[in-house]
Amino acid sequence: MSLKKRILIIGACGQIGTELTAKLRDIYGNNKVIASDIYEGSDELMKSGPFEIIDAMDYDAIQDVIISYEITDVYLMAAMLSATGEKFPMKAWNLNMNSLFNVLNLAKEGKIDKIFWPSSIAVFGPTTPKSDTPQRTVMEPSTVYGISKQTGERWCEYYSKRYGVDVRSIRYPGLISYKTLPGGGTTDYAVDIYHKALKHKKYICFLNAETTLPMMFMDDAIRATVNIMMAAEEDIKITSSYNVASMSFNPEEITNSIKKHIPDFEISYEPDFRQAIADSWPQTIDDSTAREDWGWEHQISLDEMTAIMIENLKESY
Ligand code: AKB
């Protein structure tokens, strides 16, 4: 582990950023990991190490923090997700693209060594094969978020090939965690359902019963993120973004998993505009390239995740 490594996380107070900050502080030491966001985060995050207010679209603000803390690696976690992006298309495009160009250009100028940038299963669209979606396939995304992630992937590969920028990326599926709530995504139901099951024993789902989507427990997502960043540069053969997968389920299947703990839990369905987004995405993902190139392996299944979620959330209700 490099003693000189100093990490900046942009978007540290969001669903992934909060847990990623904690994990990287465990690995590299609290003072080596600078958390940043446009707003302050939880007490735990704020007190466990340095924190800076940064707007991900402000190149100068990012550069100032990079210089003053001698940052080597940047994790750019700020983004507007699929459902909110459909409400504010230009805001989503501006945030998702400008923030990426800021860090790619800082790396191109030699001010940082390495970037992590998350892509998503949203890069795929209605014409993509839905089962075992391959690493390389048809990609015609139909959401602003998906278009921004697909474009971002092309730019990451371009900066890597043209300027030698070390940028690493994975296509996250829907992420489920008990620590931080997601915001503005189409897969968010799979977190909300646990909260409502414990609180009301009832949940009204905005997707229909048969909507199968790729999902992942947050611990697996954080491990994938840390592992791809630790992999040897020669093992990263894809510099756009890697497919990663662990489980796929639909609302009926997650309900059955919850019912093993809360037998009288009931779900009903009122699909809204997010149904069309979900219907455009893959159901299952082929992640064999990530497994071969840098040894990706998932650990947590649906029933294991349900047991962990219920155990950790039950105190709050
Ligand atoms: C969303 O639903 O928008 C995100 C994603 C799949 O990237 N969770």
Side-chain angles (χ1 to χ4, degrees):
M1 185 188 307
S2 163
L3 288 174
K4 286 182 69 187
K5 191 174 281 298
R6 276 174 181 268
I7 293 171
L8 171 64
I9 303 173
I10 302 173
C13 300
Q15 189 202 14
I16 312 172
T18 304
E19 294 196 36
L20 184 62
T21 303
K23 185 69 187 177
L24 292 173
R25 284 182 172 162
D26 279 352
I27 298 173
Y28 295 103
N30 288 352
N31 291 329
K32 297 268 171 82
V33 179
I34 293 50
S36 76
D37 211 310
I38 44 168
Y39 54 86
E40 294 192 346
S42 65
D43 271 5
E44 204 181 321
L45 182 133
M46 303 294 297
K47 286 186 185 143
S48 63
F51 181 86
E52 297 284 340
I53 294 283
I54 294 183
D55 177 347
M57 292 196 288
D58 184 343
Y59 178 92
D60 291 335
I62 303 174
Q63 179 173 246
D64 287 350
V65 170
I66 282 173
I67 292 169
S68 67
Y69 287 94
E70 298 179 9
I71 297 295
T72 55
D73 300 5
V74 173
Y75 292 68
L76 173 57
M77 311 311 289
M80 194 181 287
L81 300 187
S82 57
T84 313
E86 291 310 289
K87 292 183 185 152
F88 307 105
M90 286 320 298
K91 270 193 186 165
W93 178 258
N94 289 337
L95 170 61
N96 296 356
M97 297 316 303
N98 293 344
S99 59
L100 176 59
F101 279 121
N102 284 345
V103 294
L104 285 174
N105 284 325
L106 285 158
K108 178 188 158 198
E109 289 155 17
K111 291 172 183 149
I112 48 175
D113 299 338
K114 212 192 262 188
I115 298 168
F116 177 81
W117 173 77
S119 187
S120 160
I121 55 159
V123 293
F124 301 117
T127 51
T128 302
K130 284 209 177 300
S131 299
D132 281 337
T133 302
Q135 174 66 42
R136 291 190 173 90
T137 184
V138 179
M139 290 161 93
E140 296 181 323
S142 53
T143 61
V144 176
Y145 174 64
I147 297 169
S148 73
K149 288 294 179 188
Q150 189 200 25
T151 311
E153 287 192 9
R154 296 291 87 227
W155 279 110
C156 286
E157 191 180 283
Y158 183 87
Y159 270 67
S160 158
K161 291 212 156 92
R162 176 96 201 260
Y163 306 120
V165 166
D166 186 351
V167 52
R168 301 168 185 215
S169 176
I170 54 188
R171 294 173 178 151
Y172 288 127
L175 300 181
I176 294 131
S177 143
Y178 59 86
K179 292 186 184 151
T180 316
L181 290 170
T186 302
T187 57
D188 294 7
Y189 92 85
V191 178
D192 202 25
I193 195 169
Y194 288 108
H195 290 267
K196 298 285 172 13
L198 285 158
K199 197 169 177 191
H200 305 300
K201 298 191 175 174
K202 277 192 177 64
Y203 181 63
I204 304 173
C205 187
F206 58 76
L207 300 179
N208 69 33
E210 301 82 39
T211 311
T212 298
L213 288 170
M215 300 277 187
M216 188 178 281
F217 187 53
M218 186 61 83
D219 287 17
D220 271 340
I222 298 294
R223 237 170 9 83
T225 309
V226 168
N227 288 357
I228 194 174
M229 285 297 269
M230 282 184 170
E233 202 172 347
E234 61 271 20
D235 291 340
I236 304 300
K237 298 185 179 94
I238 290 179
T239 54
S240 52
S241 194
Y242 278 96
N243 281 3
V244 288
S246 66
M247 60 178 101
S248 282
F249 56 78
N250 64 33
E252 194 178 341
E253 288 160 339
I254 191 174
T255 299
N256 291 337
S257 180
I258 293 172
K259 277 185 167 172
K260 291 177 189 164
H261 303 260
I262 308 171
D264 50 349
F265 172 54
E266 282 171 25
I267 186 164
S268 55
Y269 300 96
E270 286 180 15
D272 66 16
F273 73 101
R274 290 167 281 193
Q275 184 66 50
I277 301 177
D279 287 344
S280 77
W281 288 350
Q283 296 183 335
T284 57
I285 298 283
D286 174 356
D287 61 355
S288 48
T289 310
R291 290 175 191 262
E292 278 155 28
D293 285 4
W294 47 275
W296 158 243
E297 273 175 54
H298 74 278
Q299 286 177 353
I300 309 284
S301 68
L302 171 58
D303 280 342
E304 286 164 343
M305 176 174 83
T306 297
I308 300 170
M309 290 294 287
I310 289 181
E311 182 56 31
N312 284 281
L313 288 175
K314 69 177 185 224
E315 302 304 322
S316 322
Y317 295 104

